[in-house]
């Protein structure tokens, strides 16, 4: 190979290495299909989650041309919990956002949004939320083997989360903080804070990740807001604004 060809080949290889890889965001609409999630006041969690997820994805696709959006579901279908994380891992995602709607055992629920990261669930309320969201695995055939004996209702199963050193914790908490701030300022929602809990779907992802609880479906006022077009759009805009701020902070850090 002569000098000119070697030079050209070296130049092309260098140019290829400098091409920016797209930033991949995975948006996970919790529940779906045979799994309605929480229900209350005539509403189903799975529908709220999907509406906000699609609205969020549309905002990103329209305004962030360097971001590839991947959805774990775009329709009313059941996706197994481990497959949601697998989708993110297969696509080498840079960020995973799982969208949910909260509920309590009380007849009338409280108000407010919460954002969770993977971690130690010291508070009983945090553990209760994790148990409810993780219980979806019981709808999967052979879940005992698939999740290596994990029982979503046994506190002993959650000891493993205390032992996991999450290398993405700092980034996850940063995003969670931004989301909660936007829920306050953009959507005018009550801020119930950032928490840690043992969510299986977050444990299995290999990138920064958060799980959002949009509000309480067993609170009539919140259910009306969560199922309204204005509510869906405001919540999606809040998450979008937080995502943009988070992504910008990564550039500043580097």
């Amino acid at each position: 190979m002569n000098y000119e060809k070697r030079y050209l080949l070296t130049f092309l290889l260098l140019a290829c290495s400098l091409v920016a890889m797209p930033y991949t965001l995975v948006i996970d609409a919790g529940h779906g299909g045979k799994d309605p999630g929480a229900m209350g006041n005539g509403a189903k969690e799975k529908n709220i989650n999907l509406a906000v997820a699609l609205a969020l994805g549309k905002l990103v696709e329209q305004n962030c041309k360097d971001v590839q959006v991947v959805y774990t579901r775009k329709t009313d279908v059941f996706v197994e919990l481990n497959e949601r994380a697998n989708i993110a891992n297969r696509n080498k995602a840079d960020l995973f956002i799982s969208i949910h709607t909260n509920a309590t055992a009380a007849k009338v629920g409280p108000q407010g949004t919460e954002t969770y990261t993977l971690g130690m669930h010291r508070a009983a309320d945090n553990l209760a939320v994790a148990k409810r969201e993780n219980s979806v695995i019981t709808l999967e055939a052979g879940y005992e083997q698939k999740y290596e004996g994990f029982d979503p209702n046994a506190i002993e199963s959650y000891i493993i989360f205390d032992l996991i050193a999450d290398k993405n914790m700092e980034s996850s908490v940063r995003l969670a903080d931004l989301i909660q701030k936007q829920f306050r300022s953009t959507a005018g929602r009550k801020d119930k804070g950032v928490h840690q809990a043992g969510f299986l779907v977050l444990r299995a992802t290999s990138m920064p990740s958060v799980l959002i609880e949009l509000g309480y479906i067993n609170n009539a006022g919140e259910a009306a807001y969560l199922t309204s077009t204005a509510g869906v759009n405001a919540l999606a805009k809040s998450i979008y604004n937080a995502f943009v701020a988070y992504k910008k902070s990564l550039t500043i850090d580097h």
Side-chain angles (χ1 to χ4, degrees):
M1 184 182 294
N2 59 35
Y3 175 81
E4 290 80 5
K5 287 183 178 179
R6 286 201 303 270
Y7 179 81
L8 178 60
L9 178 60
T10 301
F11 175 80
L12 290 174
L13 289 172
L14 178 62
C16 288
S17 68
L18 294 176
V19 174
M21 296 296 290
Y23 186 99
T24 302
L25 167 65
V26 172
I27 302 175
D28 173 43
H31 306 280
K34 64 182 179 181
D35 172 27
M39 294 188 288
N41 294 292
K44 294 180 180 179
E45 177 185 357
K46 65 175 183 177
N47 298 331
I48 295 169
N49 300 343
L50 182 60
V52 174
L54 294 176
L56 168 61
K58 185 176 180 180
L59 285 170
V60 176
E61 290 166 341
Q62 290 177 337
N63 298 289
C64 304
K65 299 306 180 183
D66 61 330
V67 177
Q68 176 189 15
V69 178
V70 176
Y71 302 86
T72 58
R73 69 180 181 99
K74 296 183 75 173
T75 58
D76 184 19
V77 295
F78 178 74
V79 181
E80 294 186 350
L81 208 59
N82 63 345
E83 177 58 15
R84 295 171 185 273
N86 289 341
I87 289 170
N89 294 333
R90 283 199 302 269
N91 283 277
K92 296 179 172 57
D94 296 283
L95 189 64
F96 180 84
I97 297 177
S98 188
I99 298 174
H100 291 259
T101 305
N102 219 334
T104 62
K107 185 176 182 181
V108 179
Q111 290 181 310
T113 63
E114 300 171 296
T115 302
Y116 285 84
T117 64
L118 181 69
M120 295 177 285
H121 38 274
R122 299 303 186 192
D125 288 348
N126 296 0
L127 179 58
V129 174
K131 283 183 175 181
R132 183 175 64 79
E133 298 295 1
N134 290 338
S135 67
V136 64
I137 66 172
T138 61
L139 297 176
E140 303 176 22
Y143 78 90
E144 297 93 344
Q145 291 75 35
K146 191 181 302 180
Y147 295 94
E148 300 175 335
F150 183 91
D151 180 352
N153 295 310
I155 192 169
E156 294 82 4
S157 291
Y158 290 85
I159 294 174
I160 184 63
F161 292 97
D162 288 349
L163 305 176
I164 295 174
D166 184 8
K167 66 182 185 299
N168 296 311
M169 178 61 71
E170 182 179 348
S171 295
S172 300
V173 171
R174 180 191 305 182
L175 174 61
D177 282 331
L178 290 168
I179 290 171
Q180 286 301 123
K181 288 176 182 176
Q182 284 295 322
F183 279 148
R184 291 197 310 267
S185 61
T186 299
R189 310 312 292 164
K190 181 178 179 181
D191 180 6
K192 289 179 67 67
V194 173
H195 307 282
Q196 294 181 350
F199 293 101
L200 282 171
V201 71
L202 299 186
R203 186 188 73 171
T205 57
S206 59
M207 69 291 304
S209 56
V210 297
L211 186 146
I212 299 167
E213 296 284 0
L214 298 169
Y216 288 82
I217 201 170
N218 61 322
N219 179 292
E222 291 227 308
Y225 177 83
L226 293 166
T227 54
S228 69
T229 300
V232 167
N233 289 338
L235 292 166
K237 180 67 172 177
S238 299
I239 304 169
Y240 167 77
N241 288 345
F243 167 70
V244 171
Y246 169 80
K247 191 167 178 292
K248 184 177 180 180
S249 75
L250 299 180
T251 303
I252 294 172
D253 287 348
H254 292 88

